[in-house]
Amino acid sequence: MKIEILAIGDELLSGNTLNTNATFLSRELKKMGLRVDRHLVLSDEESALKEGLKEVLERSDLVIATGGLGPTEDDRTKRVVAKLFHLELEYHQDLAEMLFQKFEKNKYKKEQAFIPKGALILTNEIGTAPGFILEKDNKILVLLPGVPYEMEKMFFSSLKSYIKKKFDIKMKVFEELVAICLKKEDEIEPILENLRKRDRKVNIGIYPSLSGIKVSFTVEENDEKSANKRIEPLKKELEKAFAPYIFSSEGILDLPEAIKNIFIQKGKTLTLAESCTGGAISSTLTVLPNTSGYLLGSIVSYSNELKKNILHVPESILKEFGAVSPETATYMVKGIFDLTSADYALSVTGIAGPGGGSIKKPVGTVCFALGERGKKIDAGKVSIPGDREFIIKYSVSFALSLLWVRISHNLTHFTP
Ligand code: ATP
Ligand code: MG
């Protein structure tokens, strides 16, 4: 069975609105064991819409479309679909009364009560545009409103059970994700190439992002046990190859959350000293509840004055090596250990740009230091390409990665 998700609206094509409806529907269908074959976005211009709808109905068995069901001039989905299926629009008195009562009586609400004849109506519990389903020649077209929360509500309250009843879902799609930090795609891919050869039926995908790389294992199976039997050996192999760098476990795929859990579990505390990130590492961590269980805080020592007066970075170090140097980063960590009771201290100092770079230290030069009380401080320099926003974001992610490999596997990054 081929499934396609269709998003309708010029605002999606123009880049004004992100197509989150398609993501939502794909994710929910996956949970039900259904794999979506294609996402398509169409303009709400009549001929483009007609062409597109024809096309999707030719190649797919189930099409779920969102958007353009409202009563405004640019909401053309309903009329185009009615024409395409050669159906008249039928006025539903009961639906109109309900809309008049719930909202107000006007021509727009009246318009919403016209539905293609023979369609199965899906009630909109929070908005005005009803959804509906048309079945013809073994094809199913579902029309849902564009507003995400109306669409989502409709999915859960009626569409999900309709799909469950309609399709005998024997084989389900099962997915496992592994999240890896500090490793590049090129380092992971060769291992995945081997794993793919071991079981062709398990689909292995690799998805890089700023906060690390996610590897997905998906397989179609009758039940979870059979799926696990296929996925687990491959997943274990990957975990063996990259053990210290893997921060996902039991559904947690988020580095800040993994860090919080391990710090709290080990009963250790952390303090940060941030220069170029301006508190961004701290704010990334404090978004999560119970961060106070391990994070003492962050000293945003943006200027040399604060580095000297609060963290006691010696003037001579700043003069000799500069504010952006592994040496300064190291003294920032020492400063934290003197000031606080933290078990771990992490510092970052860099040139986020656009100004401030030099030939020796171009924009994107960022230094990190990480120490565990009483042990040697691991410090070093990285070069981050990109603009100011990217450099800061990357620095946050990199700092958290350093923290993860250190606290989880006592691994240092810059020094042996
Ligand atoms: P309404 O009765 O509200 O007009 P509608 O079905 O006509 O419902 P649209 O007019 O197509 O919906 O979209 C309404 C709003 O919903 C859009 O302005 C946009 O903000 C949001 N929206 C529409 N489609 C999507 C989508 N695919 N992903 C995310 N948001 C969307
Ligand atoms: Mg609309």
Side-chain angles (χ1 to χ4, degrees), residues 70 72 74-75:
T72 57
D74 62 350
D75 291 326

Side-chain angles (χ1 to χ4, degrees), residues 10-18:
D10 281 351
E11 80 271 24
L12 298 160
L13 288 171
S14 68
N16 287 344
T17 304
L18 186 68

Side-chain angles (χ1 to χ4, degrees), residues 254-265 267-272 274 279-298 400 403:
D254 185 44
L255 196 44
E257 188 147 23
I259 286 172
K260 180 184 89 175
N261 290 348
I262 196 163
F263 263 95
I264 290 178
Q265 184 203 324
K268 299 288 182 188
T269 56
L270 168 73
T271 304
L272 309 161
E274 301 186 60
I281 304 175
S282 161
S283 85
T284 303
L285 295 175
T286 50
V287 162
L288 297 173
N290 302 325
T291 298
S292 59
Y294 78 98
L295 182 68
L296 301 185
S298 177
L400 296 182
L403 208 49

Side-chain angles (χ1 to χ4, degrees), residues 47 55 63 73 101 104 184 213 228 231 246 264 280 286 334 383 391 397 413:
S47 62
E55 205 181 281
V63 177
E73 181 74 37
Q101 218 175 49
E104 67 262 85
K184 295 199 172 68
I213 286 181
N228 278 345
I231 291 178
I246 291 175
I264 290 178
T286 50
K334 283 183 181 167
S383 299
I391 291 167
S397 169
H413 184 76

Side-chain angles (χ1 to χ4, degrees), residues 210-372:
L210 243 183
S211 51
I213 286 181
K214 285 197 182 90
V215 175
S216 78
F217 297 87
T218 48
V219 70
E220 273 188 59
E221 269 296 350
N222 291 312
D223 53 72
E224 197 168 343
K225 207 172 148 204
S226 322
N228 278 345
K229 229 170 126 183
R230 306 191 79 144
I231 291 178
E232 278 312 308
L234 306 182
K235 199 176 144 200
K236 284 227 167 75
E237 195 81 10
L238 179 71
E239 285 170 346
K240 213 170 83 191
F242 295 106
Y245 305 97
I246 291 175
F247 57 88
S248 50
S249 78
E250 286 158 29
I252 291 171
L253 292 159
D254 185 44
L255 196 44
E257 188 147 23
I259 286 172
K260 180 184 89 175
N261 290 348
I262 196 163
F263 263 95
I264 290 178
Q265 184 203 324
K266 291 193 170 196
K268 299 288 182 188
T269 56
L270 168 73
T271 304
L272 309 161
E274 301 186 60
S275 184
C276 65
T277 47
I281 304 175
S282 161
S283 85
T284 303
L285 295 175
T286 50
V287 162
L288 297 173
N290 302 325
T291 298
S292 59
Y294 78 98
L295 182 68
L296 301 185
S298 177
I299 293 161
V300 182
S301 50
Y302 201 54
S303 63
N304 279 359
E305 189 180 328
L306 262 67
K307 287 183 187 78
K308 269 190 300 192
N309 295 348
I310 294 181
L311 294 172
H312 302 295
V313 178
E315 173 90 50
S316 58
I317 291 288
L318 288 167
K319 270 217 174 101
E320 188 180 344
F321 302 101
V324 178
S325 61
E327 289 78 7
T328 294
T330 301
Y331 272 91
M332 286 164 80
V333 162
K334 283 183 181 167
I336 294 172
F337 281 138
D338 289 342
L339 277 177
T340 73
S341 62
D343 300 307
Y344 287 83
L346 178 124
S347 72
V348 52
T349 173
I351 306 159
S358 65
I359 293 178
K360 248 180 103 186
K361 287 180 192 170
V363 168
T365 305
V366 183
C367 299
F368 297 84
L370 172 58
E372 186 183 349

